[in-house]
Every structure is written in C-alpha cells, then in structure tokens.
C-alpha cells in the first residue's frame, strides 16, 4: 500500500506555530545584494535570540567563519560559509567573527548583546574581488546590534567578566595570512589571549544547541528548501527526458547542473553522483567519467543548493529507458522499502524508525529473491543508513532523537550488488537507490521531492518521450 503524498501546492500554507511574521527581504543592487528572497535580518536576529536563550549565565558564544581553502597556487576554491555562521548572521564572506552574549556587555562604549566583526572594505582588494560588505552595511544587512571592522576590533578591549564561560565554534584552523594583521587568525588570537578562562575546549554544548535550533526548519527556511528541492526535481526530470545510451556520466552531470544554475542555485550541495553500471554500486561515486551502456542503471544522486539550503534527491534510471526484469525486481523492492520508511516519518517517532522499516522490507525481499539466505545478511547489500537531516548541510545538524514537526529528513534505502557478490551473477552491477526529502508535520509526512517520478511506470513513461 502506498501512502498519500501531497503535492507541492499545499505547502505555501503556514504550517507551524513558530512561524515568523511577514518579513522585509533585502534587494539592494547598490550594495551588491541581488536576490530578494534571502533569509531576512529578522530571521537571523531571532535565531541569535534563540541561541542566547540556551546559553548559561555569563555564557559567550563565539563563531568563526569557514577558512578560505586553497585549490592550487593562487586559485582558491569557491568560498562557502560555515552553516552555523550563516544561520546566525547571513554573512557569506570569510574572515569574520560573531559573538552572542548571554547578558548585554559594554563594547566600545555601547551596551550590546551581540557583536559581528567583519573585514573592513579595502578598495585595492575590491578591484580584484568585487564589493565586500564592511561594518557599516553589515549592521543593516544582518540586523546585528553592533558590527565592527576587524582593524578596530583588534584594538578594542573585550568585555570579559570573571566567571564568563566561552563556547567557541571553530570550523577549522583560521588561515593566517602573513600579509594581513587583521585576518581571522589575528582576531581569534585577540579573543582567546584575553578570555579569562581561555578558549572552551569542549564545544559539545554549543554543537548540541545549534543542532537543536537547525533541525527544526522555520517557514523562511522551508521556502528556500522547497526551491532547492523543486530545482533538483526539475533536473532529475530533465535527465530522464534526455538520458540515452552512449552518453557519458559527465554529460548526465552537465544536464542536471545546467538546470541548477539556470534556476539560480549557487552551488551543488555536494558533488553530483552519476554512477552508471558498476558505478551504481559505489555509494558516493563522483568520478563521473564512464560511457553508459544501454543495459546500465544510472544512480543519479543530486542536490541543488539555493541560498545555502540543499536538496538531496536520488533517482535510479535505466539508461535505455526500460528496466530489465531483474533491475525491476530490485527497483520495486527498494521502492517498497522507501514507502515503508516514509510512512514512519512522523513527529514523535524515533529517528531510526524509517531505517528499521526500510531494512525489514529489503531483508525479506532479498531472501525471497534468493539473493541472501537469511535476513541477517541484509547489510551486505544495504550497507548505509536510510535517513539524515537535510538543510544548510546535506547531512545537516540534528539531534537524532525523536522526530519533530519541522524536521526535513531524507528517506533513501538502496540495494547495491557489486560484481563478484556471492549470489547469482544475473544480479551483478545492479545498484538502486531512491531518495526523497520528507517534511515532518503534525500529521502525515510530506514528500517535498514528490514531483520527480519514482515509480517504474512513471519513469519509463517520461523516458519514452
Ligand atoms: N547525497 C549523499 C547522500 O545521499 O547522503
Ligand atoms: Mn542523502
Ligand atoms: Mn543523496
């Protein structure tokens, strides 16, 4: 039996009591902000308040931006902000720091409960890299009580008090640029040299608080997730309509990523997995260089990232448009397991309930097909978990306790029978994963990626066109 999956059209209704009031979105060409659907300053301010509420007395949370990562010589990887930093501030630039104080403090003559430190604007650097935000605009853009330039911050006395507890979030060692005395390494040194107890070396509390906040998506976030997911479903459908034998895996990657970029997605949330034939059995295959044969299955596991939020949707497609009988047997089994998993995505259920339900279906099905002898061997062919939280990270922050209204999790069972597996060779090189993004509500689960066909009939019909 299939559960009822709601279409996307119902999702514009407010779903949660914690919905924010209507917010003003920023769209300001003069300041280099071109999107009018970014998270609002009110969103970030309210999220900082929610974190502040969790801090103990005299708690100070300090967040550092992601480092710039070098690709080779003078070429860096495209910058990606640390998700916690982005969630709390909206800033997408490197070399910045955010303080959230439990109690207001006097900083440079003003009483504030938060402080964002950003790099000062530098006309010479802007010739190469374009406009940066700078402290004056950061205050308005991100709704922080105080924003300060890095040069000033270095000479500002920090408002520590005896008994302060520092919780730091350090994504990675900050880059220390020998040509700058105000880069993140210098700013961080200024903080922890002056902190009364030194940096906190057990940041687990902060990690947990951020997971508690991030795992429950708010309306503004769900709007962006729906956009990322709908772009991704469109990409899967475009692939279904274009896929044919003799295409290379990288050409199928080009098809989906063209749809991402054409629809305004800034990135892929993770490298696109386009695994054909034997590569359908490699869980996180990203080489994507092989030429596809007519009888191959293609596992297409992709996610557009839109304003920071990523989708994660997998479809498994027969390259010539028609599943063979054996491919179909495995596919139908994974689909039944996914349906069983999705049915368990309900507020109050244990996070692992979907995995247990999906595993039971696959275990029994593999025995029935004679691929394993007893259900205890199921892990040989279904060797990964069924679900993870989804959001700013593809494997998003979350507590993995009971499911809560507002969680978005994947349900993605799979069966992977690599060559030389101990079963009839007719099953070899069949890898199938089906993955959808499911919203936990107060009632039935909502499949946010349900617009991409996932039954054998619907896929074959679209591919026949
Ligand atoms: N795309 C990686 C995953 O499904 O978890
Ligand atoms: Mn996933
Ligand atoms: Mn995936």
């Amino acid at each position: 039996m299939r559960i009822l999956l709601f279409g996307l059209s119902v999702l514009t209704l407010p779903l949660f009591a914690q919905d924010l009031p209507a917010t003003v979105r920023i769209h300001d060409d003069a300041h280099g902000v071109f999107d009018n659907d970014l998270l609002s300053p009110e969103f970030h301010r309210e999220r900082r308040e929610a974190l502040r509420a969790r801090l103990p007395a005299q708690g100070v949370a300090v967040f550092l931006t992601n480092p710039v990562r070098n690709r080779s010589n003078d070429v860096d990887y495209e910058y990606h902000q640390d998700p916690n930093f982005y969630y709390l501030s909206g800033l997408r630039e490197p070399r910045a720091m955010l303080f959230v104080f439990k109690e207001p403090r006097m900083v440079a003559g003003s009483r504030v409960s938060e402080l964002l430190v950003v790099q000062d604007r530098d006309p010479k650097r802007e010739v190469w890299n374009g406009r940066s935000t700078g402290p004056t605009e950061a205050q308005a853009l991100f709704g922080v009580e105080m924003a300060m330039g890095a040069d000033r911050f270095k000479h500002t006395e920090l408002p520590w008090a005896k008994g302060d507890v520092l919780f730091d979030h350090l994504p990675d060692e900050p880059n220390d640029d020998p040509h700058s005395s105000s880069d993140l390494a210098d700013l961080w040194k200024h903080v922890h040299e002056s902190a009364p107890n030194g940096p906190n070396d057990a940041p687990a509390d902060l990690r947990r608080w951020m997971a508690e906040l991030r795992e429950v998506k708010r309306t503004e976030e769900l709007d962006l997730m729906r956009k990322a997911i709908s772009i991704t479903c469109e990409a899967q459908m475009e692939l279904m309509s274009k896929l044919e034998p003799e295409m290379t895996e990288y050409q199928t990657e080009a098809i989906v990523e063209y749809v991402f970029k054409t629809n305004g997605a800034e990135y892929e949330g993770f490298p696109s997995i386009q695994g054909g034939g034997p590569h359908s059995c490699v869980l996180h295959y990203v080489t994507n260089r092989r030429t596809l044969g007519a009888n191959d299955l293609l596992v297409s596991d992709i996610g557009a990232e839109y304003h920071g939020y990523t989708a994660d949707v997998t479809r498994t497609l027969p390259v010539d448009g028609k599943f063979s009988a054996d491919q179909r047997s495995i596919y139908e089994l994974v689909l039944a397991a996914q349906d069983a998993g999705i049915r368990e995505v309900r507020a109050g259920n244990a996070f692992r309930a979907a995995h247990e339900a999906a595993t039971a279906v696959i275990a029994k099905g593999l025995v029935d097909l004679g691929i394993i002898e007893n259900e205890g061997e199921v892990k040989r062919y279904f060797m990964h978990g069924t679900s993870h939280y989804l959001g700013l990270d593809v494997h998003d922050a979350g507590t993995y306790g009971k499911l809560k209204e507002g969680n978005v999790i994947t349900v993605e069972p799979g069966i992977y029978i690599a060559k030389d597996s101990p079963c009839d060779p007719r099953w070899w090189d069949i890898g199938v994963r089906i993955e959808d993004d499911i919203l936990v509500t107060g009632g039935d689960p909502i499949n946010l990626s349900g617009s991409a066909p996932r039954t054998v009939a619907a896929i074959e019909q679209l591919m026949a066109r």
Side-chain angles (χ1 to χ4, degrees), residues 270 284 301 312-314 386-388 390 394-395 410 412 433 435 437:
F270 53 90
H284 280 177
D301 181 348
D312 187 10
V313 180
T314 306
T386 297
S387 300
H388 53 78
L390 186 67
V394 60
H395 298 161
T410 63
E412 50 174 310
R433 177 161 65 253
E435 174 172 30
D437 303 338

Side-chain angles (χ1 to χ4, degrees), residues 4 20 46 107 129 132 147 160 165 167 207 217 253 270 284 291 326 348 359 361 382 397 444 464:
L4 183 63
L20 290 172
E46 191 278 338
V107 179
N129 300 329
S132 63
W160 302 118
V165 192
F167 299 91
R207 240 193 331 266
K217 268 61 183 182
E253 181 179 7
F270 53 90
H284 280 177
T291 300
D326 289 340
T359 303
V361 172
F382 176 29
D444 293 332

Side-chain angles (χ1 to χ4, degrees), residues 21-295:
T23 50
V24 178
R25 305 296 175 107
I26 295 166
H27 179 176
D28 183 352
D29 289 8
H31 301 112
V33 180
F34 300 103
D35 291 296
N36 59 11
D37 58 349
L38 295 168
L39 293 169
S40 66
E42 290 81 0
F43 170 86
H44 300 297
R45 184 185 48 69
E46 191 278 338
R47 297 288 75 197
R48 294 191 295 273
E49 267 170 24
L51 171 62
R52 190 173 296 114
R54 285 170 157 77
L55 289 173
Q58 288 197 254
V60 180
V62 187
F63 294 83
L64 272 66
T65 49
N66 258 348
V68 176
R69 296 181 203 275
N70 183 255
R71 186 167 186 269
S72 181
N73 192 19
D74 58 353
V75 176
D76 294 327
Y77 284 103
E78 201 168 347
Y79 187 68
H80 194 273
Q81 187 57 280
D82 169 69
N84 283 338
F85 204 102
Y86 177 69
Y87 184 81
L88 295 170
S89 73
L91 183 77
R92 292 188 283 183
E93 292 171 12
R95 306 183 187 91
M97 199 179 274
L98 173 71
F99 293 81
V100 177
F101 302 111
K102 178 71 176 183
E103 302 87 7
R105 308 281 170 117
M106 289 302 288
V107 179
S110 299
R111 200 173 158 74
V112 294
S113 57
E114 56 193 23
L115 169 67
L116 177 64
V117 183
V118 298
Q119 292 295 308
D120 294 279
R121 291 188 61 196
D122 174 353
K124 284 205 205 94
R125 209 192 290 196
E126 289 190 5
V127 169
W128 292 91
N129 300 329
R131 205 175 198 293
S132 63
T133 307
T136 313
E137 282 158 21
Q139 194 159 349
L141 280 176
F142 308 123
V144 283
E145 287 178 38
M146 177 183 275
M148 188 183 278
D151 291 334
R152 183 169 173 218
F153 176 77
K154 257 187 353 187
H155 303 292
T156 295
E157 197 182 328
L158 289 165
W160 302 118
K162 195 166 175 315
D164 277 354
V165 192
L166 179 64
F167 299 91
D168 60 79
H169 173 73
L170 194 62
D172 216 335
E173 270 311 295
N175 308 116
D176 194 359
D177 177 355
H179 305 295
S180 167
S181 59
S182 316
D183 67 15
L184 198 51
D186 300 308
L187 303 184
W188 181 230
K189 201 159 159 238
H190 180 51
V191 173
H192 76 78
E193 281 183 355
S194 63
N197 302 316
N200 164 255
D201 56 5
D205 288 339
L206 188 54
R207 240 193 331 266
R208 190 182 70 252
W209 296 326
M210 291 308 299
E212 287 167 3
L213 296 179
R214 281 175 52 191
E215 73 178 1
V216 178
K217 268 61 183 182
R218 302 179 71 81
T219 305
E220 286 191 49
E221 298 179 280
L222 286 173
D223 287 347
L224 298 180
M225 291 194 72
R226 279 189 202 105
K227 176 91 181 178
I229 292 166
S230 109
I231 292 171
T232 305
C233 289
E234 188 180 328
Q236 292 286 22
M237 288 188 277
E238 181 70 4
L239 176 60
M240 289 178 207
S241 66
K242 294 257 161 66
L243 181 62
E244 57 186 25
E246 300 306 312
M247 267 185 180
T248 57
E249 292 164 338
Y250 55 80
Q251 286 168 335
T252 68
E253 181 179 7
I255 290 169
V256 296
E257 293 184 6
Y258 177 83
V259 177
F260 291 179
K261 288 283 185 191
T262 307
N263 286 285
E266 290 97 331
Y267 303 98
E268 304 85 62
F270 53 90
S272 300
I273 297 169
Q274 296 292 319
H279 299 147
S280 65
C281 300
V282 181
L283 304 182
H284 280 177
Y285 174 78
V286 293
T287 312
N288 298 354
R289 301 301 301 174
R290 186 171 170 277
T291 300
L292 298 167
N295 299 325

